[in-house]
Amino acid sequence: MTGGYRTAAALGVALLWGCSGAVTGQGEGAAIAAQVAQEGQGKPYALLGSEVWDVPDPVSGRDYQVFISLPPSYAKDPQRAYPVLYVTDADYAFPVVRQIARRLNVEGPKVQDFILVGLSYAKDDDPVRSRRRDYTPTADGPSDTPAGTVHGGGAAYQTYLRDHVLPFVARRYRTDPRQKILLGHSYGALLGAQILFTEPGMFSGYILGSPSLWFGKRHMFALEKAYAAAHRDLPANVYVYTGEYEGARAADPRFNKTVDMVGDSEALVATLKARGYPGLQIRGDVLNDEDHVSVAPRGFTKGLLHLLPVPLAAK
């Protein structure tokens, strides 16, 4: 099974050019935010208005970064606290989600203003190697991954997010603690499901895109069952999407023919609905004419509209 680890290569690893600042320093965020035009003369393209901060993990010794994009109203409304959307696979997802949110509001508000936080791969590490290690729950990865591949670092990475990234963002920016959302696709969604079934309170909402629920002999279903045995509620707003062509039973399964990602996602949604958790809101969509790669931008869009809609009274 090659689904999860091919995602990074398939989605592409786009270079995010910008400034960087140390955790303890002011950095150059203000300078890049104030820049209104590209520098030209062959210099790298900059994602204007973004910030990059180093947030290392003292336990593993690895260096990670967070990419920050503040909403247009942030400077104009100094008393306002904002929802925060954290996205995995940030080299790809951060600029895509940023522009989707802007486009959705071009002709009037459709989604709330929010702080966007991109979660980088480990610095100086191969992106595919980093995501295989950090986003997976068990060491028994796909049999066809290269020799020496490390899986199963999801719990350690989850601890890093909880103890270092979330506090860093909360200290530095005006965040609404009631609205913290995690968005992940493929292995990123596998990580999101792991957090949902072990520490659901880390986030109020979860966008799980084409989750690799096949991983570790469907380990996530065992994790869900264990959670259900010990809890009577799962307070979260969850949106799950997959592409039509990700199902092994589809007439044209374009992603793979060995697992049924559509069936797995539908089974997870059905199971959670049947639990009758009073605090759980959950919706699952199978998006037509999409495969594992093409579905991501559309799933991002629907996830934003579902979890961060502008209240009708504000339109």
Side-chain angles (χ1 to χ4, degrees), residues 20-89:
S20 63
V23 170
T24 55
Q26 181 63 33
E28 301 174 23
I32 196 74
Q35 187 179 340
V36 295
Q38 300 295 329
E39 294 187 23
Q41 303 302 316
K43 293 185 178 180
Y45 176 85
L47 196 58
L48 302 181
S50 65
E51 302 174 7
V52 178
W53 295 93
D54 294 317
V55 185
D57 177 13
V59 176
S60 69
R62 298 187 188 98
D63 291 327
Y64 295 91
Q65 294 178 320
V66 294
F67 310 156
I68 305 291
S69 179
L70 301 176
S73 61
Y74 191 86
K76 303 174 186 177
D77 196 348
Q79 304 305 313
R80 182 176 174 183
Y82 289 84
V84 186
L85 177 65
Y86 294 82
V87 298
T88 66
D89 295 294

Side-chain angles (χ1 to χ4, degrees), residues 247-270:
R249 297 191 299 268
D252 181 12
R254 300 179 185 177
F255 179 55
N256 66 72
K257 297 180 174 63
T258 59
V259 298
D260 186 357
M261 297 184 76
V262 172
D264 281 349
S265 293
E266 289 180 329
L268 182 66
V269 171

Side-chain angles (χ1 to χ4, degrees), residues 21-26 51 53-56 58 66 68 70 74 81-82 84 86 115 117 160-177 180:
V23 170
T24 55
Q26 181 63 33
E51 302 174 7
W53 295 93
D54 294 317
V55 185
V66 294
I68 305 291
L70 301 176
Y74 191 86
Y82 289 84
V84 186
Y86 294 82
I115 298 170
V117 180
Y160 159 69
L161 292 182
R162 183 195 66 217
D163 294 348
H164 300 285
V165 175
L166 270 62
F168 170 79
V169 173
R171 286 194 305 269
R172 184 166 290 274
Y173 302 100
R174 300 193 309 274
T175 65
D176 181 352
K180 292 184 294 183

Side-chain angles (χ1 to χ4, degrees), residues 22 44 130 170 188 233 295:
S130 181
D233 198 8
V295 73

